[in-house]
Amino acid sequence: MSRFVLPEYHHPDFSSPLLRDAPLARFAPCVRAGVAPADYHATAIYPEYVQTAKGKWILLRQSRMDCVIRKVNDDTLEVVEFRRLKVGDLVAVGRRENGEDGIYVHTTGFMGADAEACEKFAFRTSTSRETSFSIDYDTLYEILRHDRKNGFILWVGGPAVIFDSDARRAFASLVDKGYVHGLLAGNALATHDLEGALYETALGQGIYSKKQASMGHYHHLDAINAIKGYGSIEQAVHQGGVLNGVMRAVVENKVDYVLAGSIRDDGPLPGVVGDVYAAQDCMRALARKATTVIAMATQLHTIATGNMTPSYQVMEDGSVRPVYFFIVDMSEFAAGKLADRGSLTAHAILTNVQDFIVNLNRALV
């Protein structure tokens, strides 16, 4: 098996007339907290360069879409949400993206000089359930083996991931084997995983037998109540109340996780972040570390993560690498919706998420 190698990143040619003659970026002060100045520049998912002194182009670090660029000094720029702006903050202005305003959005950094030309007409160019996914699986295997030791693998999961006993066991195995560095989910995934540990059901249905348990509609509430009795998910695991499952594996392997609450949550479990902006901050703290994201069967959490994850990562040594983003879902609509929301670098694998995670575990473990 050949060793996986990250694609080489190519910085823009700053000697080209377009960039050589570009003006310095302009910055305007905020006059009201949370309000950007007129003609503010909104960031995208791609690498962006800002010229703060003649010939000095700064590559934005830890970017994300739909934010603004705040100037700390000529050497330091920050990408921040609008709600973080304070009176007097200097914000980059100008909406032209090819250097005309001292800002350059670099969309082809990982393509190189030999970027593949696209045919003007071809069949089956969109992703559907008829698409071949063999190469996507093989690529994902290589990326995960590489990033297990050389990156940060962030998973985004809906409850369907743990509604099946084999899939639940397989995902826990991936956690135990070091293929999960962070987990983003809602109250439901954790609740039904813990319900599975306590009662071998999810929403009252056997996770293997599919039989409805007597009074099973109480099980998810009983699970939340039991965990609250321990005080936290961590205490439930450490005290032997939870002996299997994904949350057991996450806690025992000290994997960072965020459970973002929603208005329809039961309970919720201890540790669920109920404030939407606090949840966004917690999710963002993990997304900014990600080198690979795998989002499974959760449309809203997937889109949210996609919007806060850039297409690139600037590493500690200054090198630039791609951030790989995979969406796994049965729904073609979900994959299309993610692309519509700006996550143009996401790759879709359209399949049953339970089969996906079982096959992935078999291939890797």
Side-chain angles (χ1 to χ4, degrees):
M1 183 183 297
S2 59
R3 186 175 68 88
F4 175 73
V5 178
L6 289 170
E8 182 181 356
Y9 180 75
H10 301 269
H11 292 278
D13 179 7
F14 294 110
S15 65
S16 67
L18 181 71
L19 299 180
R20 183 192 62 209
D21 300 331
L24 301 185
R26 295 176 292 116
F27 294 84
C30 296
V31 297
R32 291 183 60 187
V35 180
D39 203 31
Y40 63 84
H41 174 83
T43 52
I45 61 173
Y46 295 110
E48 298 193 39
Y49 294 79
V50 180
Q51 186 172 220
T52 58
K54 195 59 182 175
K56 183 175 187 176
W57 290 87
I58 295 178
L59 171 61
L60 298 180
R61 291 173 175 258
Q62 298 183 334
S63 188
R64 61 166 288 188
M65 68 179 293
D66 295 341
C67 287
V68 293
I69 304 168
R70 180 166 61 190
K71 183 178 183 180
V72 177
N73 53 52
D74 284 348
D75 297 314
T76 306
L77 303 173
E78 297 176 326
V79 176
V80 298
E81 295 85 355
F82 286 75
R83 59 189 167 90
R84 300 189 188 281
L85 293 175
K86 302 179 180 65
V87 174
D89 281 352
L90 294 176
V91 172
V93 294
R95 299 189 172 181
R96 293 175 294 181
E97 300 178 339
N98 290 313
E100 304 95 331
D101 291 315
I103 299 170
Y104 183 73
V105 179
H106 193 36
T107 61
T108 59
F110 294 106
M111 297 172 69
D114 299 322
E116 210 174 273
C118 295
E119 293 287 345
K120 293 186 183 300
F121 176 81
F123 289 109
R124 301 174 67 202
T125 56
S126 61
T127 300
S128 74
R129 279 168 286 193
E130 295 178 342
T131 300
S132 168
F133 297 109
S134 296
I135 190 171
D136 299 281
Y137 275 98
D138 288 342
T139 300
L140 180 57
Y141 300 153
E142 291 185 354
I143 291 169
L144 292 180
R145 291 187 181 109
H146 177 273
D147 277 6
R148 181 187 181 198
K149 298 294 184 183
N150 303 287
F152 190 93
I153 307 171
L154 180 63
W155 297 73
V156 187
V161 176
I162 48 83
F163 277 174
D164 172 76
S165 60
D166 287 345
R168 179 171 173 267
R169 189 162 45 245
F171 193 33
S173 172
L174 290 172
V175 177
D176 287 331
K177 294 297 187 289
Y179 287 101
V180 179
H181 300 140
L183 173 64
L184 304 180
N187 180 63
L189 181 145
T191 293
H192 298 308
D193 175 68
L194 294 165
E195 178 190 346
L198 296 174
Y199 308 108
E200 297 185 356
T201 62
L203 278 176
Q205 184 182 83
I207 56 176
Y208 178 74
S209 68
K210 296 194 289 186
K211 293 181 179 178
Q212 297 294 333
S214 176
M215 301 298 286
H217 59 286
Y218 272 96
H219 283 185
H220 70 289
L221 298 174
D222 288 341
I224 294 171
N225 209 42
I227 301 304
K228 283 188 172 183
Y230 284 102
S232 68
I233 297 172
E234 287 74 15
Q235 285 302 312
V237 172
H238 296 325
Q239 294 180 34
V242 177
L243 299 177
N244 58 61
V246 174
M247 297 312 296
R248 185 280 312 164
V250 163
V251 170
E252 291 188 348
N253 289 281
K254 297 181 173 59
V255 171
D256 292 328
Y257 69 92
V258 178
L259 303 179
S262 73
I263 199 164
R264 63 177 296 277
D265 284 344
D266 298 313
L269 282 168
V272 170
V273 184
D275 183 301
V276 65
Y277 295 118
Q280 183 189 93
D281 288 345
C282 293
M283 293 174 67
R284 173 67 179 139
L286 293 186
R288 72 170 66 242
K289 299 179 182 179
T291 56
T292 296
V293 180
I294 305 170
M296 304 178 294
T298 171
Q299 182 176 315
L300 294 180
H301 281 83
T302 296
I303 293 171
T305 307
N307 287 176
M308 64 178 65
T309 305
S311 64
Y312 68 103
Q313 184 76 265
V314 182
M315 308 306 286
E316 290 184 4
D317 62 1
S319 62
V320 184
R321 61 154 288 171
V323 174
Y324 295 101
F325 199 114
F326 290 83
I327 173 176
V328 183
D329 206 295
M330 291 183 70
S331 168
E332 297 172 12
F333 174 81
K337 190 68 173 176
L338 180 64
D340 289 344
R341 293 293 296 159
S343 302
L344 303 178
T345 59
H347 302 277
I349 297 178
L350 299 177
T351 186
N352 181 318
V353 69
Q354 296 164 356
D355 295 338
F356 166 81
I357 203 69
V358 169
N359 290 332
L360 190 66
N361 181 62
R362 286 173 178 166
L364 294 174
V365 178

